[in-house]
Short mmCIF file of all heavy atoms in Angstrom, two decimals:
data_model
loop_
_atom_site.label_atom_id
_atom_site.label_comp_id
_atom_site.label_asym_id
_atom_site.label_seq_id
_atom_site.Cartn_x
_atom_site.Cartn_y
_atom_site.Cartn_z
N PRO B 541 -26.07 -25.76 34.34
CA PRO B 541 -27.34 -26.11 35.01
C PRO B 541 -28.55 -25.71 34.17
O PRO B 541 -29.56 -26.41 34.18
CB PRO B 541 -27.30 -25.30 36.31
CG PRO B 541 -25.86 -24.91 36.50
CD PRO B 541 -25.23 -24.88 35.14
N CYS B 542 -28.44 -24.62 33.42
CA CYS B 542 -29.60 -24.16 32.65
C CYS B 542 -29.96 -25.14 31.54
O CYS B 542 -31.13 -25.37 31.24
CB CYS B 542 -29.37 -22.75 32.11
SG CYS B 542 -27.92 -22.62 31.07
N ILE B 543 -28.92 -25.75 30.93
CA ILE B 543 -29.22 -26.72 29.85
C ILE B 543 -29.98 -27.90 30.44
O ILE B 543 -30.98 -28.36 29.88
CB ILE B 543 -27.91 -27.21 29.17
CG1 ILE B 543 -27.18 -26.07 28.46
CG2 ILE B 543 -28.21 -28.35 28.18
CD1 ILE B 543 -25.92 -26.48 27.71
N ASN B 544 -29.50 -28.36 31.59
CA ASN B 544 -30.14 -29.52 32.22
C ASN B 544 -31.55 -29.19 32.72
O ASN B 544 -32.42 -30.04 32.73
CB ASN B 544 -29.29 -30.00 33.41
CG ASN B 544 -27.91 -30.44 32.93
OD1 ASN B 544 -27.77 -30.93 31.81
ND2 ASN B 544 -26.90 -30.23 33.76
N ALA B 545 -31.76 -27.95 33.12
CA ALA B 545 -33.03 -27.60 33.74
C ALA B 545 -34.12 -27.22 32.75
O ALA B 545 -35.30 -27.29 33.08
CB ALA B 545 -32.81 -26.46 34.74
N CYS B 546 -33.73 -26.82 31.56
CA CYS B 546 -34.72 -26.27 30.63
C CYS B 546 -35.75 -27.33 30.25
O CYS B 546 -35.41 -28.35 29.63
CB CYS B 546 -34.02 -25.73 29.37
SG CYS B 546 -35.21 -25.04 28.21
N ILE B 547 -37.01 -27.08 30.60
CA ILE B 547 -38.01 -28.12 30.38
C ILE B 547 -38.45 -28.22 28.92
O ILE B 547 -39.01 -29.22 28.50
CB ILE B 547 -39.26 -27.93 31.29
CG1 ILE B 547 -39.86 -26.54 31.06
CG2 ILE B 547 -38.93 -28.17 32.76
CD1 ILE B 547 -41.29 -26.46 31.55
N SER B 548 -38.22 -27.16 28.15
CA SER B 548 -38.66 -27.22 26.74
C SER B 548 -37.52 -27.58 25.80
O SER B 548 -37.68 -27.57 24.58
CB SER B 548 -39.29 -25.90 26.33
OG SER B 548 -38.34 -24.87 26.40
N GLY B 549 -36.36 -27.86 26.36
CA GLY B 549 -35.21 -28.22 25.53
C GLY B 549 -34.71 -27.09 24.65
O GLY B 549 -34.13 -27.31 23.59
N ALA B 550 -34.96 -25.86 25.09
CA ALA B 550 -34.59 -24.70 24.27
C ALA B 550 -33.10 -24.36 24.39
O ALA B 550 -32.55 -23.70 23.52
CB ALA B 550 -35.42 -23.49 24.70
N ILE B 551 -32.48 -24.80 25.49
CA ILE B 551 -31.08 -24.39 25.72
C ILE B 551 -30.14 -25.51 25.31
O ILE B 551 -30.27 -26.65 25.77
CB ILE B 551 -30.86 -24.00 27.19
CG1 ILE B 551 -31.90 -22.94 27.60
CG2 ILE B 551 -29.45 -23.47 27.41
CD1 ILE B 551 -31.82 -22.53 29.07
N THR B 552 -29.23 -25.17 24.40
CA THR B 552 -28.27 -26.16 23.92
C THR B 552 -26.88 -25.53 23.86
O THR B 552 -26.74 -24.32 24.05
CB THR B 552 -28.63 -26.64 22.50
OG1 THR B 552 -28.75 -25.48 21.67
CG2 THR B 552 -29.93 -27.43 22.49
N ARG B 553 -25.90 -26.35 23.54
CA ARG B 553 -24.54 -25.82 23.38
C ARG B 553 -24.24 -25.69 21.89
O ARG B 553 -24.49 -26.61 21.11
CB ARG B 553 -23.51 -26.73 24.04
CG ARG B 553 -22.09 -26.12 23.99
CD ARG B 553 -21.13 -26.86 24.88
NE ARG B 553 -21.62 -26.96 26.25
CZ ARG B 553 -21.50 -26.00 27.16
NH1 ARG B 553 -20.91 -24.87 26.88
NH2 ARG B 553 -22.00 -26.18 28.37
N SER B 554 -23.72 -24.54 21.48
CA SER B 554 -23.44 -24.30 20.06
C SER B 554 -22.09 -24.88 19.68
O SER B 554 -21.31 -25.29 20.54
CB SER B 554 -23.44 -22.80 19.78
OG SER B 554 -22.24 -22.25 20.28
N ASP B 555 -21.81 -24.85 18.36
CA ASP B 555 -20.51 -25.33 17.88
C ASP B 555 -19.38 -24.48 18.42
O ASP B 555 -18.23 -24.91 18.48
CB ASP B 555 -20.47 -25.27 16.35
CG ASP B 555 -21.49 -26.22 15.74
OD1 ASP B 555 -21.97 -27.10 16.49
OD2 ASP B 555 -21.81 -26.06 14.54
N GLN B 556 -19.70 -23.21 18.77
CA GLN B 556 -18.65 -22.33 19.30
C GLN B 556 -18.46 -22.50 20.81
O GLN B 556 -17.72 -21.76 21.44
CB GLN B 556 -18.98 -20.86 19.02
CG GLN B 556 -18.79 -20.43 17.56
CD GLN B 556 -19.99 -20.82 16.71
OE1 GLN B 556 -21.14 -20.71 17.15
NE2 GLN B 556 -19.73 -21.30 15.52
N GLY B 557 -19.19 -23.45 21.37
CA GLY B 557 -19.03 -23.70 22.80
C GLY B 557 -19.89 -22.84 23.69
O GLY B 557 -19.81 -22.91 24.90
N THR B 558 -20.72 -22.00 23.09
CA THR B 558 -21.56 -21.14 23.92
C THR B 558 -22.89 -21.82 24.22
O THR B 558 -23.34 -22.69 23.48
CB THR B 558 -21.84 -19.79 23.22
OG1 THR B 558 -22.39 -20.07 21.93
CG2 THR B 558 -20.58 -18.96 23.07
N VAL B 559 -23.50 -21.38 25.31
CA VAL B 559 -24.82 -21.89 25.68
C VAL B 559 -25.84 -20.95 25.07
O VAL B 559 -25.79 -19.74 25.29
CB VAL B 559 -24.96 -21.92 27.22
CG1 VAL B 559 -26.37 -22.35 27.63
CG2 VAL B 559 -23.92 -22.85 27.83
N VAL B 560 -26.75 -21.50 24.25
CA VAL B 560 -27.70 -20.63 23.56
C VAL B 560 -29.14 -21.05 23.82
O VAL B 560 -29.42 -22.24 23.98
CB VAL B 560 -27.47 -20.60 22.02
CG1 VAL B 560 -26.21 -19.85 21.68
CG2 VAL B 560 -27.42 -22.00 21.44
N THR B 561 -30.01 -20.05 23.85
CA THR B 561 -31.43 -20.33 24.04
C THR B 561 -32.13 -20.16 22.69
O THR B 561 -32.02 -19.11 22.06
CB THR B 561 -32.04 -19.34 25.05
OG1 THR B 561 -31.31 -19.44 26.27
CG2 THR B 561 -33.51 -19.65 25.33
N ASP B 562 -32.82 -21.17 22.25
CA ASP B 562 -33.60 -21.08 21.01
C ASP B 562 -34.91 -20.37 21.37
O ASP B 562 -35.75 -20.93 22.08
CB ASP B 562 -33.85 -22.51 20.50
CG ASP B 562 -34.65 -22.52 19.20
OD1 ASP B 562 -35.33 -21.49 18.90
OD2 ASP B 562 -34.61 -23.54 18.48
N THR B 563 -35.04 -19.15 20.87
CA THR B 563 -36.20 -18.36 21.30
C THR B 563 -37.52 -18.94 20.81
O THR B 563 -38.56 -18.71 21.40
CB THR B 563 -36.08 -16.89 20.82
OG1 THR B 563 -35.71 -16.88 19.46
CG2 THR B 563 -35.08 -16.12 21.63
N ASP B 564 -37.47 -19.73 19.73
CA ASP B 564 -38.71 -20.37 19.28
C ASP B 564 -39.21 -21.40 20.31
O ASP B 564 -40.40 -21.56 20.52
CB ASP B 564 -38.51 -21.07 17.93
CG ASP B 564 -38.40 -20.06 16.80
OD1 ASP B 564 -38.86 -18.91 17.00
OD2 ASP B 564 -37.84 -20.40 15.75
N LYS B 565 -38.24 -22.07 20.92
CA LYS B 565 -38.62 -23.12 21.88
C LYS B 565 -38.82 -22.59 23.29
O LYS B 565 -39.51 -23.23 24.10
CB LYS B 565 -37.53 -24.21 21.89
CG LYS B 565 -37.52 -25.07 20.63
CD LYS B 565 -36.53 -26.23 20.81
CE LYS B 565 -36.42 -27.05 19.53
NZ LYS B 565 -35.24 -27.91 19.57
N CYS B 566 -38.21 -21.47 23.61
CA CYS B 566 -38.29 -20.93 24.97
C CYS B 566 -39.74 -20.58 25.30
O CYS B 566 -40.43 -19.92 24.52
CB CYS B 566 -37.40 -19.69 25.10
SG CYS B 566 -37.58 -18.83 26.68
N ILE B 567 -40.23 -21.06 26.45
CA ILE B 567 -41.61 -20.77 26.82
C ILE B 567 -41.69 -19.73 27.94
O ILE B 567 -42.76 -19.45 28.47
CB ILE B 567 -42.35 -22.07 27.24
CG1 ILE B 567 -41.62 -22.72 28.42
CG2 ILE B 567 -42.51 -23.01 26.05
CD1 ILE B 567 -42.43 -23.83 29.10
N GLY B 568 -40.53 -19.20 28.32
CA GLY B 568 -40.53 -18.15 29.34
C GLY B 568 -40.94 -18.64 30.71
O GLY B 568 -41.67 -17.96 31.43
N CYS B 569 -40.47 -19.85 31.10
CA CYS B 569 -40.84 -20.38 32.43
C CYS B 569 -39.86 -19.94 33.51
O CYS B 569 -40.11 -20.08 34.68
CB CYS B 569 -40.90 -21.91 32.38
SG CYS B 569 -39.27 -22.68 32.15
N TRP B 570 -38.68 -19.47 33.08
CA TRP B 570 -37.65 -18.90 33.94
C TRP B 570 -36.99 -19.92 34.87
O TRP B 570 -36.38 -19.57 35.85
CB TRP B 570 -38.17 -17.67 34.73
CG TRP B 570 -39.01 -16.78 33.85
CD1 TRP B 570 -40.33 -16.51 33.98
CD2 TRP B 570 -38.58 -16.10 32.67
NE1 TRP B 570 -40.77 -15.71 32.97
CE2 TRP B 570 -39.72 -15.44 32.14
CE3 TRP B 570 -37.37 -16.00 31.98
CZ2 TRP B 570 -39.66 -14.69 30.97
CZ3 TRP B 570 -37.31 -15.24 30.83
CH2 TRP B 570 -38.46 -14.60 30.33
N THR B 571 -37.11 -21.18 34.49
CA THR B 571 -36.40 -22.20 35.26
C THR B 571 -34.89 -21.97 35.15
O THR B 571 -34.16 -22.12 36.12
CB THR B 571 -36.78 -23.61 34.73
OG1 THR B 571 -38.19 -23.71 34.70
CG2 THR B 571 -36.20 -24.69 35.62
N CYS B 572 -34.46 -21.59 33.96
CA CYS B 572 -33.03 -21.31 33.77
C CYS B 572 -32.56 -20.23 34.75
O CYS B 572 -31.47 -20.28 35.28
CB CYS B 572 -32.74 -20.91 32.32
SG CYS B 572 -33.75 -19.54 31.71
N VAL B 573 -33.42 -19.24 34.96
CA VAL B 573 -33.07 -18.15 35.88
C VAL B 573 -32.92 -18.70 37.30
O VAL B 573 -31.99 -18.33 38.03
CB VAL B 573 -34.15 -17.04 35.83
CG1 VAL B 573 -33.88 -15.97 36.88
CG2 VAL B 573 -34.21 -16.42 34.44
N MET B 574 -33.79 -19.65 37.66
CA MET B 574 -33.74 -20.22 39.01
C MET B 574 -32.44 -20.96 39.27
O MET B 574 -31.90 -20.93 40.36
CB MET B 574 -34.91 -21.20 39.21
CG MET B 574 -36.24 -20.53 39.41
SD MET B 574 -37.43 -21.68 40.10
CE MET B 574 -37.71 -22.79 38.74
N VAL B 575 -31.96 -21.66 38.24
CA VAL B 575 -30.80 -22.52 38.48
C VAL B 575 -29.46 -21.84 38.15
O VAL B 575 -28.41 -22.35 38.50
CB VAL B 575 -30.90 -23.85 37.69
CG1 VAL B 575 -32.14 -24.61 38.12
CG2 VAL B 575 -30.89 -23.60 36.19
N CYS B 576 -29.51 -20.69 37.47
CA CYS B 576 -28.25 -20.04 37.07
C CYS B 576 -27.50 -19.55 38.30
O CYS B 576 -28.01 -18.71 39.04
CB CYS B 576 -28.52 -18.89 36.11
SG CYS B 576 -26.99 -17.99 35.73
N PRO B 577 -26.28 -20.03 38.53
CA PRO B 577 -25.55 -19.59 39.72
C PRO B 577 -25.11 -18.14 39.65
O PRO B 577 -24.76 -17.54 40.67
CB PRO B 577 -24.34 -20.51 39.77
CG PRO B 577 -24.34 -21.34 38.55
CD PRO B 577 -25.53 -21.01 37.71
N TYR B 578 -25.09 -17.55 38.47
CA TYR B 578 -24.57 -16.19 38.30
C TYR B 578 -25.65 -15.12 38.14
O TYR B 578 -25.37 -13.93 38.20
CB TYR B 578 -23.62 -16.14 37.09
CG TYR B 578 -22.25 -16.66 37.43
CD1 TYR B 578 -21.93 -17.99 37.28
CD2 TYR B 578 -21.29 -15.79 37.96
CE1 TYR B 578 -20.68 -18.47 37.62
CE2 TYR B 578 -20.04 -16.26 38.31
CZ TYR B 578 -19.73 -17.60 38.13
OH TYR B 578 -18.50 -18.06 38.49
N GLY B 579 -26.86 -15.52 37.90
CA GLY B 579 -27.93 -14.52 37.76
C GLY B 579 -27.75 -13.65 36.52
O GLY B 579 -27.95 -12.45 36.55
N VAL B 580 -27.35 -14.28 35.42
CA VAL B 580 -27.03 -13.48 34.24
C VAL B 580 -27.99 -13.76 33.07
O VAL B 580 -27.70 -13.44 31.93
CB VAL B 580 -25.57 -13.71 33.77
CG1 VAL B 580 -24.62 -13.07 34.76
CG2 VAL B 580 -25.28 -15.20 33.61
N ILE B 581 -29.12 -14.37 33.37
CA ILE B 581 -30.11 -14.59 32.31
C ILE B 581 -31.18 -13.52 32.45
O ILE B 581 -31.73 -13.32 33.54
CB ILE B 581 -30.71 -16.01 32.39
CG1 ILE B 581 -29.56 -17.03 32.20
CG2 ILE B 581 -31.80 -16.20 31.31
CD1 ILE B 581 -29.98 -18.46 32.40
N GLY B 582 -31.43 -12.81 31.37
CA GLY B 582 -32.38 -11.69 31.41
C GLY B 582 -33.73 -12.07 30.86
O GLY B 582 -33.87 -13.10 30.17
N ARG B 583 -34.72 -11.23 31.15
CA ARG B 583 -36.07 -11.47 30.65
C ARG B 583 -36.42 -10.39 29.64
O ARG B 583 -36.42 -9.20 29.99
CB ARG B 583 -37.03 -11.40 31.82
CG ARG B 583 -38.49 -11.52 31.40
CD ARG B 583 -39.38 -11.27 32.61
NE ARG B 583 -40.70 -11.85 32.39
CZ ARG B 583 -41.60 -12.00 33.35
NH1 ARG B 583 -41.32 -11.63 34.59
NH2 ARG B 583 -42.78 -12.51 33.09
N ASP B 584 -36.65 -10.78 28.41
CA ASP B 584 -37.06 -9.81 27.40
C ASP B 584 -38.58 -9.63 27.51
O ASP B 584 -39.34 -10.52 27.12
CB ASP B 584 -36.65 -10.33 26.01
CG ASP B 584 -36.90 -9.29 24.93
OD1 ASP B 584 -37.90 -8.56 25.05
OD2 ASP B 584 -36.08 -9.21 23.99
N LYS B 585 -38.96 -8.49 28.07
CA LYS B 585 -40.38 -8.29 28.38
C LYS B 585 -41.24 -8.15 27.14
O LYS B 585 -42.44 -8.42 27.18
CB LYS B 585 -40.54 -7.07 29.28
CG LYS B 585 -40.03 -7.32 30.68
CD LYS B 585 -40.13 -6.08 31.54
CE LYS B 585 -39.44 -6.33 32.86
NZ LYS B 585 -38.92 -5.10 33.44
N ALA B 586 -40.63 -7.75 26.04
CA ALA B 586 -41.42 -7.60 24.81
C ALA B 586 -41.64 -8.97 24.16
O ALA B 586 -42.73 -9.29 23.71
CB ALA B 586 -40.72 -6.66 23.85
N LEU B 587 -40.58 -9.78 24.13
CA LEU B 587 -40.67 -11.07 23.45
C LEU B 587 -41.12 -12.20 24.39
O LEU B 587 -41.44 -13.29 23.92
CB LEU B 587 -39.31 -11.43 22.84
CG LEU B 587 -38.75 -10.52 21.75
CD1 LEU B 587 -37.34 -10.96 21.35
CD2 LEU B 587 -39.65 -10.54 20.51
N HIS B 588 -41.09 -11.95 25.71
CA HIS B 588 -41.41 -12.97 26.71
C HIS B 588 -40.45 -14.15 26.62
O HIS B 588 -40.84 -15.30 26.72
CB HIS B 588 -42.87 -13.45 26.56
CG HIS B 588 -43.85 -12.32 26.50
ND1 HIS B 588 -44.19 -11.56 27.61
CD2 HIS B 588 -44.53 -11.77 25.46
CE1 HIS B 588 -45.03 -10.63 27.26
NE2 HIS B 588 -45.25 -10.72 25.95
N LYS B 589 -39.20 -13.85 26.36
CA LYS B 589 -38.19 -14.89 26.21
C LYS B 589 -36.98 -14.57 27.08
O LYS B 589 -36.76 -13.41 27.45
CB LYS B 589 -37.70 -14.98 24.75
CG LYS B 589 -38.80 -15.14 23.71
CD LYS B 589 -39.34 -16.53 23.67
CE LYS B 589 -40.43 -16.62 22.59
NZ LYS B 589 -41.03 -17.95 22.54
N ALA B 590 -36.17 -15.59 27.30
CA ALA B 590 -34.92 -15.39 28.04
C ALA B 590 -33.82 -14.94 27.08
O ALA B 590 -33.83 -15.33 25.91
CB ALA B 590 -34.53 -16.69 28.74
N TYR B 591 -32.90 -14.12 27.57
CA TYR B 591 -31.74 -13.74 26.73
C TYR B 591 -30.49 -13.69 27.59
O TYR B 591 -30.57 -13.53 28.81
CB TYR B 591 -31.99 -12.40 26.02
CG TYR B 591 -32.02 -11.20 26.93
CD1 TYR B 591 -30.85 -10.45 27.15
CD2 TYR B 591 -33.18 -10.81 27.57
CE1 TYR B 591 -30.87 -9.34 28.00
CE2 TYR B 591 -33.20 -9.72 28.42
CZ TYR B 591 -32.04 -8.99 28.63
OH TYR B 591 -32.06 -7.92 29.47
N ARG B 592 -29.36 -13.83 26.93
CA ARG B 592 -28.08 -13.85 27.65
C ARG B 592 -26.94 -13.51 26.69
O ARG B 592 -27.17 -13.38 25.48
CB ARG B 592 -27.85 -15.23 28.23
CG ARG B 592 -27.48 -16.20 27.10
CD ARG B 592 -27.05 -17.53 27.57
NE ARG B 592 -28.21 -18.35 27.89
CZ ARG B 592 -28.18 -19.33 28.79
NH1 ARG B 592 -27.10 -19.56 29.46
NH2 ARG B 592 -29.26 -20.05 28.99
N CYS B 593 -25.75 -13.46 27.25
CA CYS B 593 -24.53 -13.23 26.45
C CYS B 593 -24.40 -14.30 25.38
O CYS B 593 -24.59 -15.49 25.64
CB CYS B 593 -23.31 -13.29 27.38
SG CYS B 593 -21.74 -13.48 26.54
N ASP B 594 -24.09 -13.86 24.15
CA ASP B 594 -23.85 -14.83 23.08
C ASP B 594 -22.40 -14.76 22.59
O ASP B 594 -22.06 -15.31 21.56
CB ASP B 594 -24.83 -14.59 21.92
CG ASP B 594 -24.70 -13.21 21.34
OD1 ASP B 594 -23.83 -12.43 21.83
OD2 ASP B 594 -25.44 -12.87 20.40
N ARG B 595 -21.58 -14.03 23.35
CA ARG B 595 -20.16 -13.82 23.01
C ARG B 595 -19.98 -13.26 21.60
O ARG B 595 -18.97 -13.47 20.97
CB ARG B 595 -19.37 -15.11 23.14
CG ARG B 595 -18.91 -15.39 24.57
CD ARG B 595 -17.86 -16.50 24.54
NE ARG B 595 -17.84 -17.20 25.80
CZ ARG B 595 -17.45 -18.46 25.94
NH1 ARG B 595 -17.08 -19.17 24.90
NH2 ARG B 595 -17.43 -19.01 27.12
N CYS B 596 -20.95 -12.52 21.14
CA CYS B 596 -20.86 -11.82 19.85
C CYS B 596 -20.34 -12.72 18.72
O CYS B 596 -19.20 -12.57 18.27
CB CYS B 596 -19.97 -10.58 19.95
SG CYS B 596 -20.57 -9.38 21.13
N PRO B 597 -21.16 -13.69 18.26
CA PRO B 597 -20.66 -14.64 17.27
C PRO B 597 -20.14 -14.01 15.99
O PRO B 597 -19.32 -14.62 15.29
CB PRO B 597 -21.90 -15.52 16.98
CG PRO B 597 -23.07 -14.77 17.52
CD PRO B 597 -22.57 -13.92 18.62
N ASP B 598 -20.58 -12.78 15.66
CA ASP B 598 -20.10 -12.15 14.41
C ASP B 598 -18.76 -11.44 14.57
O ASP B 598 -18.20 -10.95 13.59
CB ASP B 598 -21.13 -11.10 13.91
CG ASP B 598 -22.48 -11.74 13.65
OD1 ASP B 598 -22.51 -12.97 13.45
OD2 ASP B 598 -23.49 -11.02 13.68
N LEU B 599 -18.30 -11.33 15.79
CA LEU B 599 -17.07 -10.57 16.02
C LEU B 599 -15.92 -11.49 16.43
O LEU B 599 -16.14 -12.53 17.04
CB LEU B 599 -17.28 -9.54 17.14
CG LEU B 599 -18.37 -8.48 16.94
CD1 LEU B 599 -18.43 -7.58 18.17
CD2 LEU B 599 -18.09 -7.66 15.70
N GLU B 600 -14.72 -11.03 16.10
CA GLU B 600 -13.55 -11.80 16.50
C GLU B 600 -13.34 -11.70 18.01
O GLU B 600 -13.00 -12.66 18.67
CB GLU B 600 -12.33 -11.23 15.75
CG GLU B 600 -11.22 -12.23 15.60
CD GLU B 600 -10.13 -11.67 14.71
OE1 GLU B 600 -10.47 -11.19 13.59
OE2 GLU B 600 -8.98 -11.68 15.13
N VAL B 601 -13.56 -10.48 18.51
CA VAL B 601 -13.46 -10.24 19.96
C VAL B 601 -14.82 -9.69 20.41
O VAL B 601 -15.33 -8.76 19.79
CB VAL B 601 -12.35 -9.20 20.26
CG1 VAL B 601 -12.29 -8.87 21.75
CG2 VAL B 601 -11.01 -9.70 19.77
N PRO B 602 -15.43 -10.23 21.45
CA PRO B 602 -16.74 -9.72 21.87
C PRO B 602 -16.72 -8.21 22.15
O PRO B 602 -15.70 -7.68 22.60
CB PRO B 602 -17.02 -10.52 23.15
CG PRO B 602 -16.21 -11.76 23.02
CD PRO B 602 -14.98 -11.36 22.26
N ALA B 603 -17.85 -7.56 21.88
CA ALA B 603 -17.92 -6.10 21.96
C ALA B 603 -17.53 -5.58 23.33
O ALA B 603 -16.83 -4.56 23.46
CB ALA B 603 -19.32 -5.63 21.60
N CYS B 604 -17.94 -6.27 24.40
CA CYS B 604 -17.64 -5.78 25.75
C CYS B 604 -16.13 -5.77 25.99
O CYS B 604 -15.58 -4.83 26.55
CB CYS B 604 -18.35 -6.64 26.80
SG CYS B 604 -17.94 -8.40 26.71
N VAL B 605 -15.47 -6.84 25.54
CA VAL B 605 -14.02 -6.94 25.74
C VAL B 605 -13.30 -5.85 24.95
O VAL B 605 -12.43 -5.15 25.47
CB VAL B 605 -13.51 -8.34 25.30
CG1 VAL B 605 -12.00 -8.42 25.43
CG2 VAL B 605 -14.20 -9.43 26.10
N ALA B 606 -13.73 -5.67 23.70
CA ALA B 606 -13.09 -4.66 22.84
C ALA B 606 -13.28 -3.26 23.40
O ALA B 606 -12.45 -2.39 23.20
CB ALA B 606 -13.65 -4.75 21.43
N SER B 607 -14.39 -3.04 24.11
CA SER B 607 -14.69 -1.67 24.54
C SER B 607 -14.06 -1.33 25.87
O SER B 607 -14.01 -0.17 26.25
CB SER B 607 -16.21 -1.50 24.66
OG SER B 607 -16.68 -2.13 25.84
N CYS B 608 -13.58 -2.32 26.62
CA CYS B 608 -13.17 -2.03 28.01
C CYS B 608 -11.93 -1.16 28.05
O CYS B 608 -10.86 -1.55 27.59
CB CYS B 608 -12.91 -3.34 28.75
SG CYS B 608 -12.41 -3.04 30.46
N PRO B 609 -12.04 0.08 28.61
CA PRO B 609 -10.88 0.99 28.59
C PRO B 609 -9.74 0.54 29.49
O PRO B 609 -8.60 0.89 29.25
CB PRO B 609 -11.45 2.32 29.07
CG PRO B 609 -12.84 2.08 29.51
CD PRO B 609 -13.23 0.67 29.22
N THR B 610 -10.03 -0.25 30.54
CA THR B 610 -8.93 -0.66 31.43
C THR B 610 -8.47 -2.08 31.17
O THR B 610 -7.61 -2.61 31.86
CB THR B 610 -9.37 -0.56 32.91
OG1 THR B 610 -10.47 -1.46 33.11
CG2 THR B 610 -9.77 0.85 33.29
N LYS B 611 -9.08 -2.73 30.18
CA LYS B 611 -8.77 -4.13 29.85
C LYS B 611 -9.08 -5.06 31.03
O LYS B 611 -8.37 -6.03 31.30
CB LYS B 611 -7.30 -4.32 29.41
CG LYS B 611 -6.84 -3.33 28.35
CD LYS B 611 -7.14 -3.85 26.96
CE LYS B 611 -6.64 -2.93 25.88
NZ LYS B 611 -7.59 -1.89 25.52
N ALA B 612 -10.15 -4.74 31.73
CA ALA B 612 -10.58 -5.59 32.83
C ALA B 612 -11.27 -6.84 32.29
O ALA B 612 -11.39 -7.83 33.00
CB ALA B 612 -11.54 -4.83 33.75
N LEU B 613 -11.75 -6.76 31.07
CA LEU B 613 -12.35 -7.92 30.42
C LEU B 613 -11.34 -8.45 29.42
O LEU B 613 -10.76 -7.70 28.65
CB LEU B 613 -13.64 -7.53 29.69
CG LEU B 613 -14.80 -7.02 30.56
CD1 LEU B 613 -15.93 -6.50 29.69
CD2 LEU B 613 -15.30 -8.11 31.48
#
Side-chain angles (χ1 to χ4, degrees):
Chain B
C542 58
I543 296 183
N544 299 329
C546 181
I547 56 161
S548 63
I551 306 177
T552 54
R553 185 168 307 278
S554 75
D555 296 344
Q556 286 82 39
T558 55
V559 176
V560 289
T561 303
D562 180 340
T563 47
D564 287 339
K565 288 187 184 165
C566 173
I567 58 167
C569 68
W570 318 115
T571 308
C572 54
V573 174
M574 285 197 290
V575 299
C576 175
Y578 280 91
V580 289
I581 299 174
R583 175 187 201 167
D584 187 324
K585 289 177 188 152
L587 297 175
H588 310 287
K589 307 284 181 182
Y591 69 94
R592 73 172 81 207
C593 164
D594 60 0
R595 277 193 206 153
C596 300
D598 301 338
L599 300 179
E600 204 173 309
V601 176
C604 57
V605 176
S607 76
C608 180
T610 62
K611 311 272 183 273
L613 296 172

